[in-house]
């Protein structure tokens, strides 16, 4: 039997030799493929000869005909070529290579065969052109482009010719730049509806009490070239901005008139004006909106039209004729009421609505003529003579019209919002020449009273707008520095005991200034109630022990503060507006009278507007003219007529008096309120309107300190 184990062992050795030889050949072939030097070793050749290999395939080399172009392939865009590695050509997958082909085909030939497709895939693309910025398409119509080009040039180089205010020039440049400098007021050389509306409003400026010559409207019909159209465009824009600014804030700044006027500034924003007018459906109405919205302004404007004979009806002209005189009835003869066909026209001209068609020159007509004569500097006889007829038919700029014009101007200084919106637009308005005070709410008067105002000259009541913050019952009178240094200290030089006899306390402060006060009581100069609206002029409204002055027609007797006839009613009216649930009454206010100060603070302050209206329309719709007690009308008329125009809009600074310490030493025998030489209590302003200090002023010798309560 054959020894299988011996044969198996031999067979295993043969397999191991073959495997070793195969691994050696494989490793050698791999190294040979990477090496550029031919194998010349005898050992290597012997190994190669020992390994059986198949015969090489007799395949002819490829020709050009063996390669076929793919007609369905798309040529890639050079700009979209990426850095991806080239994929093998589809032809490489047509036939799988045989092992013999892999072994016997030199590596160099393989590389050469694969080179053409690889070269085609990785061919460098031509350089891409740099991206260009998108061309901005003009929004200007072709017909307006020449004007737009000229506007661009003018605003860049000549804007100072049209706009002398820096903020307006910047707003105009931004406005036209945003619209590619397209004209606003014309299209294809023709006026737009917006342009027509603005020009119509400028030409009607006289109806608002403004001067039309201050807002010239260019003649677009005469503008035949782009240069002329562009210049007319900017001129109209400048006139529109001037109109809006002066319609809202006035032709003159209030500081041009006097140093005792202070109203909040409310200038226009030129960018807002341009945006508003350019987008409005009716540019004329939008531009008119910059005039005051107040009822007093609108009523006075209507009266201006009547004075000019430009009311809703035709212009009224009184014909010349015989003199008409009314004679009242006596015991011996009846009243004389001559008839004349001119009387109905006279009634209409003078605003007499009762018996409008009556031809009799009766007592009412005669009274109206007499009142007109007083206002026209004529002898008030009540007789319609030739001079009176001529005055009634006088030119447009007569005295009454001038008075109305300056009063319209003063109304422009007031805030656009007169009252507190959260309180039904409640506010207080005091008219100095009329000596009346009104509490307004929801557009109607709630309460009215008489007042006493400041004397003409240095004691004139100032014009201002502030907010009333609280009411003081049983106030201490802290004498204003102007009264101390101008009146009381000179009086002390004559009589060192005068303050003691008046019940006044004298203190010297550490800085050398003098403070004088009067404790609460019936004889206090402020009476029982003070109404506080802190302001730089240190004025306020208050009660008074001198009630007899309210019976006089002209009541300019104070040092600048305003005395109220019925302060308890005034206080309850205001408190019921700000605190309606508290149910204040005049009786409740009077029950607080005593020796201790009581502050009633308002949760919401009420605006106080102190005005100077010598011309206004009363509740019956009639024009009222009052005496110019401070001479403000004459000064303003002169300023408005002098032609300085825009110069009047500049604020003027005024020096304020400084009351720091007495110029002269106090005479011997002056009695101070306490044994202390100096007082370091609150300042005058803090004593008057309250402040951070809570110190109680020292009481007079022999008296207990006064208590102060706040509610």
């Amino acid at each position: 039997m054959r020894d299988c184990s011996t044969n198996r062992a031999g067979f295993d050795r043969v397999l191991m030799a073959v495997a070793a030889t195969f691994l050696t050949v494989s490793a050698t072939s791999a190294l040979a493929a990477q090496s550029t030097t031919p194998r010349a070793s005898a050992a290597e050749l012997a190994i190669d000869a020992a390994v059986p290999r198949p015969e090489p395939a007799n395949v002819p080399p490829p020709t050009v005909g063996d390669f076929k172009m793919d007609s369905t392939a798309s040529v890639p865009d050079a700009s979209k070529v990426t850095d991806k590695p080239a994929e093998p050509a589809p032809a490489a997958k047509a036939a799988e290579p045989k092992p013999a082909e892999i072994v016997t085909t030199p590596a160099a030939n393989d590389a050469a065969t694969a080179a053409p497709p690889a070269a085609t895939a990785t061919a460098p693309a031509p350089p891409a052109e740099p991206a260009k910025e998108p061309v901005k398409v003009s929004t200007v119509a072709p017909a307006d482009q020449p004007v737009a080009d000229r506007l661009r040039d003018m605003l860049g180089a000549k804007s100072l010719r049209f706009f002398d205010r820096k903020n307006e020039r910047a707003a105009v440049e931004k406005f036209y730049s945003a619209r590619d400098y397209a004209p606003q007021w014309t299209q294809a050389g023709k006026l737009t509806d917006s342009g027509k509306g603005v020009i119509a409003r400028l030409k009607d400026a006289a109806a608002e009490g403004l001067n039309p010559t201050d807002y010239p409207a260019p003649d677009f019909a005469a503008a035949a070239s782009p240069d002329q159209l562009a210049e007319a465009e900017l001129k109209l824009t400048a006139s529109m901005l001037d109109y809006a600014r002066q319609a809202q804030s006035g032709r003159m700044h209030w500081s041009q008139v006097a140093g005792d006027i202070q109203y909040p500034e409310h200038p226009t924003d030129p960018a807002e004006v341009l945006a508003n007018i350019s987008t409005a459906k009716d540019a004329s109405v939008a531009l008119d909106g910059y005039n005051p919205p107040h009822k007093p302004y609108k009523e006075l404007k209507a009266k201006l039209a009547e004075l000019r004979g430009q009311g809703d009806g035709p212009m009224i002209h009184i014909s010349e004729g015989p003199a008409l005189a009314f004679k009242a009835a006596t015991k011996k003869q009846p009243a004389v009421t001559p008839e004349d066909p001119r009387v109905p026209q006279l009634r209409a001209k003078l605003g007499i609505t009762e018996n409008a068609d009556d031809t009799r020159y009766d007592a009412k007509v005669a009274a109206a003529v007499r009142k007109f004569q007083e206002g026209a500097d004529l002898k008030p006889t009540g007789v319609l003579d030739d001079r009176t007829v001529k005055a009634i038919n006088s030119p447009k700029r007569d005295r009454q019209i001038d008075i109305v014009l300056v009063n319209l101007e003063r109304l422009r200084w007031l805030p656009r919002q007169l009252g507190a919106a959260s309180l039904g637009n409640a506010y207080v308005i005091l008219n100095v020449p009329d000596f009346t005070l009104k509490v307004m709410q929801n557009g109607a008067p709630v309460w009215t009273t008489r007042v006493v105002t400041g004397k003409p000259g240095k004691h004139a009541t100032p014009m201002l707008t502030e907010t009333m913050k609280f009411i003081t019952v049983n106030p201490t009178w802290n004498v204003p520095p102007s009264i101390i240094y101008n009146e009381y200290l000179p009086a002390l030089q004559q009589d060192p005991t005068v303050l003691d006899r008046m019940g006044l306390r004298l203190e010297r402060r550490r800085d050398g200034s003098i403070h004088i006060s009067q404790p609460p009581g019936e004889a206090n100069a402020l009476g029982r109630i003070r109404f506080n609206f802190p302001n730089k002029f240190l004025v306020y409204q208050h009660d008074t022990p001198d009630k007899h002055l309210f019976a006089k027609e002209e009541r300019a007797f104070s040092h600048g503060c305003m005395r109220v006839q019925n302060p308890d009613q005034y206080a309850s009216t205001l408190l019921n507006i700000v605190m309606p649930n508290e149910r204040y009454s005049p009786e409740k206010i009077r029950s607080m009278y005593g020796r201790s100060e009581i502050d009633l603070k308002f949760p919401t302050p009420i605006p106080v507007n102190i005005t100077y209206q010598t011309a206004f329309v009363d509740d019956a719709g009639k024009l009222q003219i009052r005496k110019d007690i401070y001479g403000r009308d004459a000064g303003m008329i002169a300023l408005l007529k002098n032609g300085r125009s825009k110069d009047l809009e500049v604020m003027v600074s005024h020096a304020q008096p400084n009351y720091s310490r007495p110029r002269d030493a106090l005479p011997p025998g002056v009695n101070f309120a306490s044994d202390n030489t100096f007082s370091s209590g609150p300042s005058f302003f803090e004593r008057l309107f309250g402040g951070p200090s809570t110190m109680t002023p020292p009481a007079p010798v022999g008296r207990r300190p006064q208590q102060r309560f706040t509610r």
Side-chain angles (χ1 to χ4, degrees):
M1 189 173 175
R2 193 175 181 178
D3 188 358
C4 295
S5 60
T6 303
N7 294 335
R8 184 174 182 86
F11 182 74
D12 290 341
R13 285 194 296 269
V14 172
L15 287 177
M16 291 178 64
V18 172
T21 304
F22 179 77
L23 291 174
T24 303
V25 171
S26 298
T28 305
S29 299
L31 293 173
Q34 297 177 1
S35 176
T36 58
T37 58
R39 293 176 298 179
S41 171
E44 291 177 352
L45 293 176
I47 293 174
D48 288 342
V51 178
R53 291 185 295 180
E55 292 294 328
N58 188 16
V59 179
T63 63
V64 177
D66 293 331
F67 295 91
K68 193 172 184 179
M69 296 295 294
D70 186 359
S71 60
T72 63
S74 60
V75 179
D77 190 350
S79 62
K80 298 181 181 179
V81 173
T82 62
D83 294 334
K84 285 184 177 182
E87 296 181 359
K93 298 181 181 180
E96 292 291 337
K98 297 179 181 180
E101 295 175 339
I102 296 175
V103 175
T104 59
T105 303
N109 291 342
D110 292 342
T113 304
T120 303
T122 60
E129 296 182 3
K132 297 181 179 179
E133 294 184 2
V135 179
K136 185 178 181 181
V137 179
S138 175
T139 59
V140 182
D144 293 327
Q145 190 61 54
V147 180
D149 293 339
R150 294 304 301 131
L151 285 173
R152 185 192 304 271
D153 296 339
M154 288 181 176
L155 288 173
K158 302 179 182 179
S159 57
L160 283 175
R161 287 178 49 196
F162 308 102
F163 309 100
D164 53 0
R165 294 172 178 268
K166 185 177 180 181
N167 64 330
E168 291 184 356
R169 184 167 65 252
V172 169
E173 291 173 354
K174 185 176 181 180
F175 172 76
Y176 281 101
S177 174
R179 50 189 292 115
D180 287 340
Y181 297 92
Q184 168 64 31
W185 315 122
T186 61
Q187 284 184 356
K190 303 296 182 183
L191 270 173
T192 61
D193 290 340
S194 181
K196 293 176 182 177
V198 169
I199 291 176
R201 180 57 54 189
L202 298 182
K203 290 183 176 180
D204 196 41
E208 304 290 342
L210 302 172
N211 187 358
T213 60
D214 291 338
Y215 324 106
D219 185 5
F220 282 87
S225 66
D227 279 353
Q228 293 172 337
L229 284 171
E231 185 168 336
E233 172 86 16
L234 295 181
K235 285 182 177 179
L236 183 57
T237 301
S239 292
M240 181 201 69
L241 291 174
D242 288 343
Y243 180 98
R245 186 183 64 254
Q246 295 187 357
Q248 179 161 302
S249 301
R251 296 165 62 189
M252 67 170 64
H253 194 271
W254 40 260
S255 63
Q256 296 273 349
V257 180
D260 56 358
I261 305 175
Q262 187 174 45
Y263 289 113
E265 304 281 352
H266 49 274
T268 55
D269 178 1
E272 184 276 333
V273 175
L274 289 165
N276 180 27
I277 304 302
S278 63
T279 58
K281 292 183 179 180
D282 190 328
S284 178
V285 173
L287 191 54
D288 180 52
Y290 292 96
N291 287 295
H294 318 132
K295 182 181 178 182
Y297 174 86
K298 294 181 179 180
E299 291 176 338
L300 197 57
K301 171 189 169 183
K303 293 301 178 183
L304 175 64
E306 292 180 10
L307 289 173
R308 288 171 166 169
Q310 299 171 351
D312 295 335
M315 181 175 178
I316 301 173
H317 182 85
I318 308 300
S319 304
E320 294 182 359
L324 301 178
F326 167 78
K327 292 183 179 181
T330 64
K331 293 181 179 180
K332 295 182 179 181
Q333 61 182 10
V336 178
T337 55
E339 293 193 24
D340 192 288
R342 298 173 296 167
V343 174
Q345 294 178 323
L346 188 63
R347 290 176 182 270
K349 188 80 172 179
L350 299 178
I352 304 173
T353 58
E354 184 179 353
N355 300 324
D357 298 328
D358 194 345
T359 59
R360 293 176 301 169
Y361 192 84
D362 56 17
K364 285 193 174 181
V365 179
V369 170
R370 186 179 299 107
K371 188 174 182 179
F372 172 81
Q373 290 169 332
E374 291 176 352
D377 288 336
L378 298 174
K379 189 176 180 180
T381 61
V383 177
L384 184 69
D385 52 19
D386 289 341
R387 292 188 62 190
T388 304
V389 170
K390 185 177 180 180
I392 292 176
N393 296 327
S394 60
K396 293 181 179 180
R397 294 198 63 84
D398 65 0
R399 182 173 178 273
Q400 274 195 327
I401 289 179
D402 285 340
I403 292 174
V404 170
L405 290 177
V406 295
N407 279 273
L408 287 172
E409 179 72 8
R410 286 194 285 262
L411 287 173
R412 299 182 195 279
W413 299 344
L414 294 177
R416 308 289 283 187
Q417 179 74 24
L418 290 177
S422 61
L423 299 175
N425 197 31
Y427 62 93
V428 174
I429 187 164
L430 187 148
N431 186 7
V432 173
D434 192 44
F435 307 106
T436 56
L437 178 150
K438 292 182 179 181
V439 179
M440 304 290 293
Q441 189 176 31
N442 297 318
V446 176
W447 185 77
T448 304
T449 191
R450 290 186 163 203
V451 295
V452 172
T453 60
K455 303 173 186 177
K458 60 184 179 181
H459 295 307
T461 295
M463 300 167 58
L464 57 86
T465 291
E466 284 294 350
T467 54
M468 187 181 298
K469 296 177 171 60
F470 64 101
I471 295 172
T472 302
V473 183
N474 309 315
T476 296
W477 181 37
N478 296 288
V479 182
S482 60
I483 299 178
I484 293 176
Y485 290 94
N486 295 328
E487 298 183 27
Y488 284 174
L489 293 187
L492 284 174
Q493 298 293 337
Q494 303 296 325
D495 182 0
T497 65
V498 64
L499 297 184
D500 292 336
R501 290 186 285 104
M502 295 174 63
L504 300 178
R505 299 166 49 201
L506 176 66
E507 299 173 81
R508 185 194 298 274
R509 299 178 60 82
R510 292 190 180 276
D511 61 0
S513 61
I514 297 297
H515 176 257
I516 299 176
S517 62
Q518 186 181 27
E522 295 179 358
N524 189 285
L526 306 185
R528 289 295 189 177
I529 306 176
R530 185 181 67 214
F531 303 87
N532 307 286
F533 43 96
N535 58 87
K536 77 171 190 176
F537 303 110
L538 305 179
V539 297
Y540 41 86
Q541 297 163 355
H542 61 87
D543 183 17
T544 177
D546 299 325
K547 303 290 187 181
H548 66 281
L549 295 177
F550 293 107
K552 298 182 178 293
E553 287 299 317
E554 291 187 12
R555 299 182 289 276
F557 301 111
S558 78
H559 284 78
C561 291
M562 296 135 279
R563 307 173 190 173
V564 182
Q565 184 176 19
N566 300 298
D568 52 350
Q569 298 178 24
Y570 185 28
S572 63
T573 300
L574 295 174
L575 291 169
N576 284 327
I577 290 176
V578 297
M579 295 183 286
N581 297 329
E582 298 295 329
R583 301 183 181 277
Y584 278 94
S585 64
E587 294 75 19
K588 185 175 181 179
I589 298 296
R590 290 195 296 270
S591 68
M592 301 178 188
Y593 292 172
R595 305 291 295 178
S596 299
E597 288 192 352
I598 302 174
D599 289 338
L600 304 175
K601 297 194 174 182
F602 292 178
T604 302
I606 294 182
V608 176
N609 304 284
I610 302 177
T611 67
Y612 190 88
Q613 297 304 115
T614 55
F616 60 94
V617 179
D618 63 15
D619 295 336
K622 294 183 179 180
L623 176 65
Q624 299 291 335
I625 303 294
R626 294 291 181 264
K627 182 180 178 180
D628 183 17
I629 58 174
Y630 294 164
R632 299 281 167 85
D633 288 351
M636 290 184 64
I637 291 172
L639 285 173
L640 290 176
K641 286 183 176 181
N642 72 358
R644 287 195 294 155
S645 187
K646 295 181 181 179
D647 293 342
L648 297 177
E649 298 180 59
V650 179
M651 178 181 286
V652 177
S653 60
H654 296 270
Q656 298 296 327
N658 181 21
Y659 303 106
S660 58
R661 55 185 57 84
R663 291 184 293 269
D664 301 321
L666 295 179
V670 173
N671 184 28
F672 285 89
S674 65
D675 294 334
N676 297 328
T677 304
F678 297 105
S679 168
S680 59
S683 67
F684 172 78
F685 191 88
E686 291 169 347
R687 291 176 187 268
L688 180 59
F689 296 123
S693 175
T694 59
M695 183 181 298
T696 302
V701 177
R703 294 185 182 179
R704 298 175 61 185
Q706 301 295 325
Q707 294 182 342
R708 187 184 189 95
F709 300 94
T710 301
R711 297 189 180 183

